[in-house]
Amino acid sequence: MLQTLALRDFVIVDHLELDFASGFTVLTGETGAGKSILLDALGLVLGERADSSQIREGSNRTEISALFRIADQQIEHFNQWLDEQGFPTEDDGRSLLLKRTVESNGRSRAFINGSVATLTQLREAGDQLVDIHGQHAHQLLLKSGAQRELLDRHAGLMPVVSEVAQAFKILSDSRRRLAQAENAGQDIERERERLEWQLEELSELAPQEGEWDQIQVEHARLANGAKIISGCQETIDALSEADSSVESVLAKVSSNLSALAQHDAALSEVSATLESAQIQIDEVVHSLNRYLQKLDLDPARLSEVEERMQALHSAARKYRIEANDLPKLLLETTERLEALTASQNIEALREKVKQEESSYLKLAKQLSQKRNKAALELGKLVTEAMQHLSMAGGQLEIGLTPLPEGGSNGLEQIEFLVAGHAGSTPRPLAKVASGGELARISLAISVITSKASFTPTLIFDEVDAGIGGAVAETVGKLLRQLGESHQILCVTHLPQVAAQGNHHLKVSKSQNGDTTLSQVIPLSRADRVEEIARMLGGATITDTTRRHARELLEQH
């Protein structure tokens, strides 16, 4: 669960460190106080897109960090994920620290347990920790794709959905190759003949990896053989064999200096240096003699090398590439010809498509069976919840309309169908539900699907908009009940919901000169009475609204 959220210079927050508890926590405050700022900050540290406008005015950098306590059932999985990603573990794997910084130049950095992370890694971690239901979730519910994904996620079918999508992609690729082969005709045949001729020529040449560089070095040595021999011999003469060679001169001056060193020890080091120089000169002479003895300057080999260089150079010019790239061209030509030959085997391609159709249909039918079962169960649960949300007699059905050809998402289109009252025929959600009904249905679905979620922290951002009265009371009960198995954070403007929270945080803002600052404080029992009374009565708080607020709190 989320333990601590710390903000520095974020929007209108200068500094804030907030601790969270388990159960159901409500966040309230006047309109514009910044209730959603906390959720925006949490979204940022969970990998959402950063914007320099999120930095508090007058500051150059914002920093958000979130400390999570990993649930027992998640520890093994999370530690394995951290290890695979190369991140350290903290507190025996029970704590996870996410951090995000954004600078005024737009640069953003992410960290996991103190180590630099990518946004993708931050999002992967966040997806396992927090699930945010935004205040516009009911609008997403109108989209068929969102309805399908909601059903699949609720039923735990996403792994099967991925397998079906992969099988359909493989099938589609094979169908495309078959169509290309059937329509190619003479163009493919001409290309194959060209590749066969090119492959024959390159195979005969047989260029080797790195050969061009090696043969250039050998050619330079062979072509300059006389110069090399002459130069080496002149060096040997000058160092050792001439009358006034370097060796003889060094021997004479070394002997003189050695004698002088017997009279003054200060010359001993210089004398030793000269002796070392003699030894090094002698080693150079021996090395040059050994080199000349082993040197092979066969004229016939020079002719072979020049002929090979000419063959490689001509082929490179012909194919308009560098000589070093000839081995790569040989490999590519081989692969292209093999692929082209395989693609023209139409019967084999047809058989491949047939087999992949069978594999796809097998997976897709399994998915359809599981979807049918999940659709009935989810429809029943949401229908039950609707009876308590001022929609008595209403029902939700989840329709699965077959798609003749199937697709990457399976063999059916999924659509939520709703009947607002008893006796009416269920119709598509977008055509039947009013704004208020849609908000209530969305909330019921969110709460019900979240019960099956393994994500420990669930956040509801004003998803109770458009409802009130007894319905709001029911919403509060649903969220409090959900708080028994999950950590729930809910931004709300309804006193009936706020009164049922296990914990209550109030968001407010203050003016300090030209600076506006937002702050968040946990409320005591007495403070909660005042805040709920404000939510009930607006700007003017009376004894009556306070009494009503106490009554709401005492009921829970």
Side-chain angles (χ1 to χ4, degrees):
M1 71 173 198
L2 176 63
Q3 282 190 307
T4 305
L5 181 65
L7 285 68
R8 185 179 295 277
D9 295 324
F10 184 73
V11 192
I12 58 174
V13 176
D14 58 348
H15 176 69
L16 174 67
E17 185 169 320
L18 199 59
D19 293 327
F20 293 89
S22 58
F24 176 27
T25 298
V26 294
L27 290 88
T28 65
E30 295 182 0
T31 302
K35 297 188 294 296
S36 293
I37 286 178
L38 287 178
L39 302 191
D40 291 341
L42 188 57
L44 195 63
V45 83
L46 294 175
E48 290 185 5
R49 184 177 178 181
D51 190 331
S52 59
S53 66
Q54 295 168 314
I55 302 173
R56 188 170 67 90
E57 189 172 350
S59 302
N60 296 319
R61 183 173 182 262
T62 186
E63 180 180 306
I64 300 108
S65 60
L67 178 64
F68 291 88
R69 182 73 172 172
I70 306 303
D72 291 342
Q73 62 268 31
Q74 285 187 304
I75 288 178
E76 183 177 352
H77 169 75
F78 233 110
N79 287 345
Q80 180 180 349
W81 182 83
L82 289 171
D83 184 60
E84 291 172 352
Q85 301 296 322
F87 295 117
T89 57
E90 293 187 358
D91 189 21
D92 297 328
R94 293 184 177 274
S95 293
L96 185 77
L97 179 64
L98 305 183
K99 181 179 176 181
R100 185 86 178 273
T101 63
V102 182
E103 298 178 5
S104 55
N105 60 6
R107 184 186 181 195
S108 168
R109 300 184 70 192
F111 303 86
I112 296 179
N113 283 348
S115 296
V116 176
T118 65
L119 284 186
T120 298
Q121 290 170 326
L122 208 60
R123 281 191 287 267
E124 286 180 4
D127 287 344
Q128 302 173 69
L129 296 167
V130 179
D131 189 5
I132 299 177
H133 298 267
Q135 55 185 302
H136 301 296
H138 59 283
Q139 296 175 1
L140 290 175
L141 196 59
L142 297 179
K143 299 180 180 179
S144 176
Q147 295 173 4
R148 181 190 65 247
E149 184 174 348
L150 191 149
L151 174 66
D152 289 339
R153 286 191 180 280
H154 171 68
L157 300 179
M158 295 309 290
V160 185
V161 171
S162 296
E163 290 182 23
V164 169
Q166 180 63 21
F168 185 77
K169 181 181 182 302
I170 293 172
L171 173 59
S172 298
D173 289 343
S174 294
R175 284 173 171 170
R176 176 178 49 79
R177 285 192 291 270
L178 175 59
Q180 288 175 342
E182 290 175 336
N183 297 328
Q186 296 182 350
D187 290 340
I188 292 276
E189 186 61 32
R190 283 196 294 268
E191 175 66 7
R192 183 166 61 185
E193 290 177 357
R194 185 189 71 81
L195 289 173
E196 287 176 344
W197 167 80
Q198 182 172 303
L199 179 61
E200 182 180 357
E201 186 175 67
L202 288 171
S203 297
E204 185 177 347
L205 182 64
Q208 303 299 310
E209 193 70 37
E211 180 185 8
W212 179 251
D213 291 335
Q214 295 171 3
I215 207 166
Q216 282 185 305
V217 172
E218 185 177 5
H219 180 266
R221 181 175 60 80
L222 292 171
N224 294 280
K227 187 185 293 185
I228 291 172
I229 293 172
S230 174
C232 287
Q233 191 58 58
E234 287 178 4
T235 303
I236 292 171
D237 290 344
L239 291 176
S240 179
E241 297 182 0
D243 293 337
S244 57
S245 67
V246 173
E247 275 191 341
S248 61
V249 173
L250 275 178
K252 182 177 180 180
V253 297
S254 179
S255 177
N256 291 339
L257 196 58
S258 179
L260 293 174
Q262 294 178 2
H263 302 295
D264 188 350
L267 295 172
S268 297
E269 185 176 348
V270 179
S271 176
T273 302
L274 274 177
E275 290 176 1
S276 176
Q278 283 182 280
I279 293 171
Q280 290 178 345
I281 292 296
D282 185 56
E283 288 179 352
V284 169
V285 171
H286 280 293
S287 295
L288 287 173
N289 280 320
R290 285 197 300 272
Y291 172 77
L292 289 175
Q293 289 171 4
K294 295 180 180 180
L295 187 63
D296 181 10
L297 298 176
D298 183 5
R301 176 56 185 165
L302 176 60
S303 177
E304 290 177 6
V305 169
E306 288 180 338
E307 184 177 343
R308 181 62 174 171
M309 283 184 69
Q310 181 59 37
L312 293 172
H313 180 68
S314 297
R317 286 187 61 188
K318 180 175 183 178
Y319 297 113
R320 297 181 180 179
I321 60 173
E322 297 293 329
N324 268 327
D325 292 331
L326 285 170
K328 181 180 178 182
L329 179 62
L330 173 58
L331 178 62
E332 289 176 348
T333 302
T334 302
E335 292 176 347
R336 286 166 60 191
L337 183 58
E338 289 175 352
L340 197 63
T341 301
S343 71
Q344 282 300 97
N345 190 340
I346 293 177
E347 287 305 317
L349 285 175
R350 286 174 178 162
E351 182 60 30
K352 193 170 188 296
V353 167
K354 185 177 179 181
Q355 292 174 359
E356 287 168 0
E357 283 177 343
S358 177
S359 298
Y360 166 75
L361 287 173
K362 182 179 179 181
L363 284 170
K365 286 178 180 178
Q366 291 175 0
L367 176 60
S368 296
Q369 292 174 354
K370 293 178 180 179
R371 276 177 171 166
N372 270 293
K373 181 180 178 181
L376 291 172
E377 293 175 353
L378 182 57
K380 181 180 178 181
L381 290 172
V382 175
T383 295
E384 291 175 358
M386 288 169 65
Q387 311 313 304
H388 305 290
L389 294 171
S390 292
M391 298 184 73
Q395 62 174 316
L396 178 80
E397 292 183 3
I398 300 178
L400 278 67
T401 305
L403 297 173
E405 296 296 323
S408 59
N409 295 309
L411 298 174
E412 55 276 319
Q413 178 180 340
I414 294 171
E415 189 171 33
F416 286 13
L417 307 171
V418 66
H421 51 82
S424 59
T425 302
R427 297 173 59 197
L429 196 60
K431 296 181 179 179
V432 177
S434 65
E437 288 176 330
L438 185 59
R440 279 175 273 163
I441 294 171
S442 173
L443 180 61
I445 292 173
S446 296
V447 173
I448 288 166
T449 56
S450 294
K451 287 181 181 178
S453 172
F454 291 109
T455 308
T457 299
L458 308 175
I459 296 176
F460 295 88
D461 182 14
E462 295 192 19
V463 293
D464 51 11
I467 62 177
V471 176
E473 175 82 8
T474 302
V475 169
K477 289 180 180 178
L478 286 172
L479 292 173
R480 188 180 179 95
Q481 181 184 2
L482 193 56
E484 295 174 3
S485 57
H486 296 72
Q487 181 188 39
I488 306 298
L489 306 179
C490 178
V491 175
T492 182
H493 66 282
L494 297 177
Q496 297 92 335
V497 174
Q500 299 192 62
N502 302 114
H503 318 282
H504 194 150
L505 301 175
K506 180 182 178 182
V507 184
S508 62
K509 67 179 180 180
S510 59
Q511 196 79 21
N512 185 7
D514 295 332
T515 304
T516 301
L517 295 177
S518 181
Q519 58 182 355
V520 184
I521 56 172
L523 299 184
S524 65
R525 180 76 174 185
D527 293 332
R528 290 188 73 181
V529 170
E530 292 297 308
E531 174 62 5
I532 292 174
R534 179 199 63 79
M535 298 172 73
L536 285 166
T540 303
I541 300 177
T542 66
D543 290 340
T544 301
T545 54
R546 287 190 179 94
R547 186 171 60 254
H548 189 186
R550 290 191 192 94
E551 290 174 354
L552 282 176
L553 285 167
E554 288 169 359
Q555 291 173 8
H556 310 292

